[in-house]
Amino acid sequence: MADINFDYHPQFFTATILEWKHLLKEDEFKDIIIKSLQFLVKEKSVVIYAFVIMPNHIHLIWQIQDGFKRDKIQLRFLKFTAQQMKFKLLQTDKLQLEHFRVNTSDREYQFWERNALSID
């Protein structure tokens, strides 16, 4: 039987905003998600088949491309979007930013739950 590389087929991915807060309700935060996905497509690390942005979470059906690792792409996506969300809140709503302050040794703010779901 031929070896099958299961890293390179469409996958369902869900990421949830911390404590299910409705951060993604505003278009400016949806735009951060969309622009990040566009970047990943442009660099040819993913193919996006479908996505939906809900007020407090996102769903994607995407395919990680040859030469890229799923965990690294997910981490880059979540880290970059979180950083952009922080920058946006620093500019527009510092009070709301405080709702994402966490008491951990590795970060001051957290936007995504740590249990993103990826299903093959």
Side-chain angles (χ1 to χ4, degrees):
M1 183 171 188
D3 288 334
I4 299 172
N5 186 345
F6 287 103
D7 289 335
Y8 305 112
H9 62 280
Q11 299 163 331
F12 179 78
F13 176 73
T14 295
T16 305
I17 296 295
L18 184 68
E19 298 173 353
W20 291 80
K21 293 178 178 122
H22 283 213
L23 180 64
L24 303 176
K25 187 176 178 180
E26 302 300 325
D27 287 346
E28 58 196 356
F29 295 100
K30 292 176 193 139
D31 289 342
I32 290 169
I33 302 295
I34 292 168
K35 287 177 183 174
S36 181
L37 292 173
Q38 287 173 330
F39 173 81
L40 294 173
V41 168
K42 187 175 180 178
E43 77 167 3
K44 300 184 189 300
S45 61
V46 300
V47 172
I48 306 291
Y49 294 105
F51 70 93
V52 61
I53 302 172
M54 304 301 287
N56 54 11
H57 65 286
I58 61 170
H59 298 293
L60 305 171
I61 298 176
W62 64 1
Q63 184 173 355
I64 308 302
Q65 297 300 287
D66 287 339
F68 295 91
K69 297 286 184 192
R70 177 178 64 183
D71 58 338
K72 292 198 186 306
I73 295 297
Q74 289 175 0
L75 178 65
R76 282 178 56 212
F77 172 73
L78 295 174
K79 186 176 179 179
F80 178 80
T81 54
Q83 184 181 45
Q84 295 303 305
M85 290 175 200
K86 181 180 87 174
F87 292 156
K88 179 60 74 178
L89 288 174
L90 279 169
Q91 293 172 349
T92 62
D93 194 345
K94 291 181 183 176
L95 185 62
Q96 186 180 13
L97 179 62
E98 289 305 308
H99 294 282
F100 295 95
R101 187 180 294 275
V102 291
N103 200 9
T104 62
S105 61
D106 66 337
R107 68 192 69 214
E108 186 175 0
Y109 300 99
Q110 181 175 337
F111 291 90
W112 297 108
E113 291 283 351
R114 290 191 180 246
N115 58 349
L117 173 67
S118 185
I119 299 175
D120 295 337

